[in-house]
Amino acid sequence: MTHRPSLTRSAILLTVVGLISQSLTFLYHIAVARLVGAQAMGLVHLIMPAYAVMQSICISGLAMAVTVLSSELYARKNTLALRQMIRVSFRGLILLWFPVALLVLTQSDTIAQRVLGDGRTRAGLLLLLPALLLTGVEHLQKQYCYGTGRLWLPASAEVVEQLARCIAIILLLQVVRPKEDTIAAALITAGILCSEVVSSLSLSLGLCRKKPTLGGCLLPSNQLRRRIAAIALPVSFTALLGNLMEAATAMAIPKLLVAYGRTPGEAMGEFGILMGMTLPMLSIPTAFVNGLTLALLPRLTEARTLGHMASFRRISEKAMLSVSYLILPSVTLIAAFGHDLGTVLFQEPKAASHIGSLAIVVCAECYHIILVCILHALDKQKESAIISLGCAGIELTATLLLTGHMGLKGFIWGQILSEAVAVPLCMLLVCQSAELRLGIGRCFVVPVLATLLAGALVVLIGQYIHRLGIDPSVMPPICICGGSLLYLVTLRAQGVRPWQLLRGK
């Protein structure tokens, strides 16, 4: 294969960047929650699903196509076709963005009031239109870099973007000191726009400084466009319908909570706490999964392109083992002392509500992300789309049926049911397509048993500390050390050394 950084080095670098990014986002959520409160955060989380819908139309499919084709062309050392492909992708981005921006610009009031269900979201929605184009440019540049093995440029741009976002949003909120939730939500989206300007400029300057040596040959234009469309359309269609369902869910939850017996203010506050506090807290370890998939897809695509299927299977297995032995215990430990962690970080006792159920959802989603990444590397975009859309429909249906009777528990059960269907189906398709054989005991049973024991110990430690009246701020380090030690001891008792399983390229 072509010269690339090893998968381990790539994943570690991107994980470190992801952790920095997650930490900055986490701190920004804490600061914003304290500055503007849960209702303003709820408004932002009403806007973001609509923004995700626009991204799915304009960006998601093209970004996937750029990643896959960059990896294939880089493996064949065809840099002329690489440059041609990125030019065609940028043109496609502009062609997709223009009608979307025109529609939102002319119908913003209708979208805010009738679709999002709250007219206060209009200003924030309009501010995200230029951010959408800049985000598209940034995503295509990043995926090109990942596909060609250039990790440092997008990694540094990601950190710069998150820093710019945190500084811009906090500075705007501190200077303006908004009294109304509408203005606060608009200022937060304005900060997002500022960060996208900084990120796209830094990537453009970095790519202009170092251009690859030209070689290979140009592809027929029609053939290239058809190849891009074949990859992009299923991904965009899946992302669009999935995000529409997610947006419908986000808009329906506050209304369903009112039907459950909450006041409108209480419903928006509960939704803001769940999406802006509890989930970000649990999602800190997923920085590893995000970094791993960014490094994994180009390497798997290259292995498939060159016919190295033994290497493909070995890398895929290690990716699944990484989730089992690293993500499961990390999420479980956070859930085990989530009440004290939420109180310390957010000054909000309800930040740990439903954290146990949400931990199951987060872990299952991590497996799902890795499996979808493997399917994309196998050119199974259509099959992955069918599974994802079917499971998104299950989640939406369950949410609509259960939330009015169970509150937020209904929403969480909808997510659990969706992932309970998606993960086994994706795993079955991967095992059949790549002839991958995953040992159930080594991959799932052993790490789950060790994780449950470690989580139980952390709960007992927390109860003991509370009985002694010790400051809750000492909980995290004690629980992390005690839980991690028991986890490693339990693995050794079962004859497993996780670092030996995960070692290798």
Side-chain angles (χ1 to χ4, degrees):
M1 288 196 286
T2 58
H3 176 69
R4 288 179 183 270
S6 70
L7 180 63
T8 304
R9 283 182 57 194
S10 302
I12 290 173
L13 170 63
L14 295 172
T15 298
V16 170
V17 171
L19 285 172
I20 294 171
S21 177
Q22 290 269 20
S23 301
L24 290 172
T25 304
F26 194 47
L27 293 173
Y28 136 72
H29 274 291
I30 295 171
V32 171
R34 294 181 179 181
L35 285 170
V36 300
Q39 289 202 36
M41 291 183 69
L43 285 177
V44 175
H45 285 291
L46 278 179
I47 298 171
M48 296 318 289
Y51 185 55
V53 169
M54 293 188 284
Q55 282 188 319
S56 66
I57 297 171
C58 301
I59 302 172
S60 59
L62 281 174
M64 180 60 65
V66 169
T67 305
V68 173
L69 292 177
S70 295
S71 304
E72 290 182 0
L73 295 171
Y74 182 70
R76 297 185 177 117
K77 298 181 172 58
N78 192 347
T79 51
L80 269 175
L82 264 174
R83 181 177 291 187
Q84 178 191 13
M85 181 270 300
I86 200 70
R87 282 200 304 265
V88 173
S89 299
F90 278 130
R91 289 182 199 135
L93 171 65
I94 295 170
L95 289 173
L96 290 170
W97 174 81
F98 186 77
V100 170
L102 186 63
L103 175 65
V104 174
L105 192 63
T106 56
Q107 302 296 322
S108 59
D109 192 55
T110 302
I111 294 171
Q113 291 186 3
R114 296 187 180 180
V115 179
L116 299 182
D118 197 319
R120 295 176 294 175
T121 59
R122 181 173 180 268
L125 191 64
L126 290 174
L127 284 168
L128 287 177
L129 288 178
L132 177 66
L133 181 59
L134 293 171
T135 302
V137 172
E138 171 209 343
H139 273 57
L140 296 188
Q141 290 172 327
K142 284 182 177 178
Q143 298 309 317
Y144 168 79
C145 291
Y146 293 135
T148 55
R150 298 173 63 180
L151 302 181
W152 282 103
L153 179 58
S156 58
E158 178 68 23
V159 175
V160 169
E161 178 188 353
Q162 293 303 324
L163 278 172
R165 181 169 300 185
C166 293
I167 292 169
I169 291 174
I170 294 172
L171 190 61
L172 285 170
L173 292 175
Q174 286 282 18
V175 171
V176 178
R177 294 190 178 275
K179 302 296 182 183
E180 298 179 5
D181 294 333
T182 308
I183 300 174
L187 289 174
I188 292 171
T189 54
I192 294 172
L193 173 58
C194 293
S195 68
E196 294 299 340
V197 172
V198 171
S199 178
S200 56
L201 281 175
S202 63
L203 280 166
S204 298
L205 291 173
L207 286 171
C208 287
R209 289 180 61 185
K210 187 177 180 181
K211 295 182 179 180
T213 304
L214 295 180
C217 60
L218 295 175
L219 299 176
S221 297
N222 290 337
Q223 177 186 337
L224 180 59
R225 283 194 290 267
R226 284 196 298 269
R227 183 80 171 102
I228 291 174
I231 298 171
L233 286 177
V235 175
S236 290
F237 186 69
T238 304
L240 174 60
L241 290 186
N243 282 320
L244 283 172
M245 292 180 189
E246 187 177 333
T249 302
M251 289 182 286
I253 286 174
K255 297 175 183 178
L256 291 169
L257 289 175
V258 171
Y260 182 63
R262 302 288 190 263
T263 65
E266 289 173 342
M268 188 60 72
E270 285 189 20
F271 184 55
I273 289 170
L274 181 76
M275 303 302 293
M277 299 181 191
T278 313
L279 274 176
M281 186 164 59
L282 278 173
S283 298
I284 292 175
T286 62
F288 174 77
V289 176
N290 297 331
L292 180 60
T293 54
L294 289 173
L296 185 65
L297 180 58
R299 185 167 287 273
L300 289 178
T301 302
E302 185 176 293
R304 190 256 308 161
T305 301
L306 299 176
H308 299 166
M309 292 308 294
S311 176
F312 185 102
R313 287 188 286 272
R314 179 173 54 82
I315 295 170
S316 300
E317 182 185 23
K318 289 186 181 299
M320 293 294 292
L321 291 171
S322 298
V323 175
S324 296
Y325 285 90
L326 298 177
I327 301 301
L328 290 186
S330 301
V331 173
T332 302
L333 289 178
I334 291 175
F337 62 90
H339 182 272
D340 294 285
L341 187 61
T343 303
V344 170
L345 294 176
F346 295 107
Q347 298 179 351
E348 174 56 69
K350 294 181 180 179
S353 299
H354 315 294
I355 197 168
S357 304
L358 283 172
I360 297 173
V361 173
V362 171
C363 292
E365 285 179 346
C366 290
Y367 282 116
H368 192 184
I369 290 168
I370 295 295
L371 289 167
V372 167
C373 177
I374 298 171
L375 288 174
H376 285 161
L378 288 166
D379 254 353
K380 298 289 183 181
Q381 285 88 6
K382 292 180 182 179
E383 293 84 348
S384 174
I386 293 170
I387 294 173
S388 297
L389 290 177
C391 294
I394 292 173
E395 180 183 337
L396 177 60
T397 303
T399 299
L400 294 176
L401 291 176
L402 299 177
T403 305
H405 302 285
M406 301 173 63
L408 284 175
K409 289 181 180 178
F411 166 61
I412 297 168
W413 269 107
Q415 291 186 307
I416 291 174
L417 290 173
S418 172
E419 295 300 333
V421 175
V423 173
L425 286 178
C426 287
M427 191 174 299
L428 179 63
L429 184 57
V430 165
C431 291
Q432 289 179 344
S433 302
E435 299 181 359
L436 180 64
R437 300 290 178 263
L438 292 173
I440 298 299
R442 185 179 67 161
C443 192
F444 301 107
V445 176
V446 170
V448 167
L449 287 176
T451 296
L452 291 176
L453 282 173
L457 175 66
V458 168
V459 171
L460 292 175
I461 291 174
Q463 292 175 351
Y464 184 69
I465 287 176
H466 282 299
R467 287 175 189 169
L468 294 178
I470 300 174
D471 186 354
S473 62
V474 305
M475 273 280 291
I478 294 176
C479 289
I480 290 172
C481 293
S484 300
L485 181 61
L486 180 61
Y487 174 70
L488 293 173
V489 169
T490 308
L491 288 180
R492 288 299 302 273
Q494 297 179 84
V496 172
R497 297 182 179 181
W499 305 122
Q500 289 184 352
L501 289 178
L502 304 177
R503 190 172 55 193
K505 294 185 178 181

